[in-house]
Amino acid sequence: MSEFLTIGEPIALFASQDTDQSLKDALNFRKYLAGAEVNVAVGVSRLGHSAQYITRLGEDPFGDFIKDQLRENHVQTDYIDSTPDYWTAFQLKNKVSTGDPNIFYFRRGSAAAHFDAKTLDRIDFSEVKFAHLSGIFPAISEQALAAFRHLIDLLHEHNIRTTFDPNLRPQLWSSPQKMAATLNELAKEAEIILPGDNEGELLVGSRDPETIADFYLNQSERTQTVVVKVGPKGAYVKNKGEAGYWVKGFKVAQVVDTVGAGDGFALGLITALMEGKSQRDAVVRANAIGAFAVQAPGDNDGYPTSEQLQAFLDKNLTVMG
Ligand code: KDG
């Protein structure tokens, strides 16, 4: 039983230690756990909430590594099975002094892409308060997309509040049009949508936060809130039938790696809402965890414990006034 659940593809990440070297030339790598949705599960658990992560692993050293990492991070694994027939995914990431790193995936035909939807029928939803969905899992195969739709039906049946992060990965889709059409249709099923302003261009043809928010609020009865992530500037929030508002981001001394910030944002929002905080405070926490994430080299190693988060908020909210 858990308060939170998510489904995704976990990845063994090899992050280069050689600054500004191409992936071809880099020689030194460190291994981490990655994958957008598993990042969220790890961060939710680090803040003291029970989190269930659903996936399929290969019976291989990466699968074993991921199981160990989940155990170390106290993420529940009741709905993870493994198969000898397909490999667990892995990826390479380079280290850059500015901007976003290059990422190369080895994930086509992975174990998670062969996820068995029957696993979902075993889920105990009785304690689940929130589910987080992202646009990556439905992109990895038709089988994963069908399972994703089945999970959405189950979440609706059990009246579970859902966040949806489009998490664009154009390399996983046959065309940008197919990506936008499928993700916008899936977004209709979520109460809260978390796009980035840079994703707006491909999804709704605009980077303007209000235009993006209005698109999603108008396309579905179910969607009540859109929170558009606008990098270090913070986030633009709009609820159905209300005027939008901004929540300022936090300044960070040094950006080490931007990957994982969006997942940090999602888990900050979700945990705060699960704890009954106001929406504005939840977005403040979302921005804060995004700031933690960009200061660490792995995708989820920078996420804070509750004590670290509180200390950061005490210090920085005073400074911001
Ligand atoms: O959001 C961060 C993730 O993107 C990263 O941890 C792994 O690229 C990844 C993916 O597709 O899940």
Side-chain angles (χ1 to χ4, degrees), residues 33 41-42 45-46 68-75 300:
L33 168 68
V42 164
S45 159
R46 202 163 290 161
D68 284 353
Q69 290 286 308
L70 293 171
R71 205 169 302 125
E72 267 173 40
N73 284 288
H74 309 287
V75 173
N300 55 54

Side-chain angles (χ1 to χ4, degrees), residues 14-21 26-32 93-95 297:
F14 290 83
S16 165
Q17 308 294 292
D18 304 330
T19 309
D20 294 327
Q21 289 282 349
L27 292 175
N28 302 293
F29 290 86
R30 196 180 148 195
K31 189 162 61 158
Y32 294 92
K93 176 168 84 171
N94 77 343
K95 184 175 179 185

Side-chain angles (χ1 to χ4, degrees), residues 9 11 34-36 39 91 103 105 107 136 167 169 259-260 263 299:
E9 172 163 69
I11 306 178
N39 293 340
Q91 70 178 88
I103 289 170
Y105 297 114
R107 72 194 307 181
I136 300 177
N167 252 327
R169 296 288 179 276
V259 183
D263 306 326
D299 294 4

Side-chain angles (χ1 to χ4, degrees), residues 87-102:
W87 302 129
T88 308
F90 72 101
Q91 70 178 88
L92 304 176
K93 176 168 84 171
N94 77 343
K95 184 175 179 185
V96 288
S97 41
T98 50
D100 294 330
N102 271 328

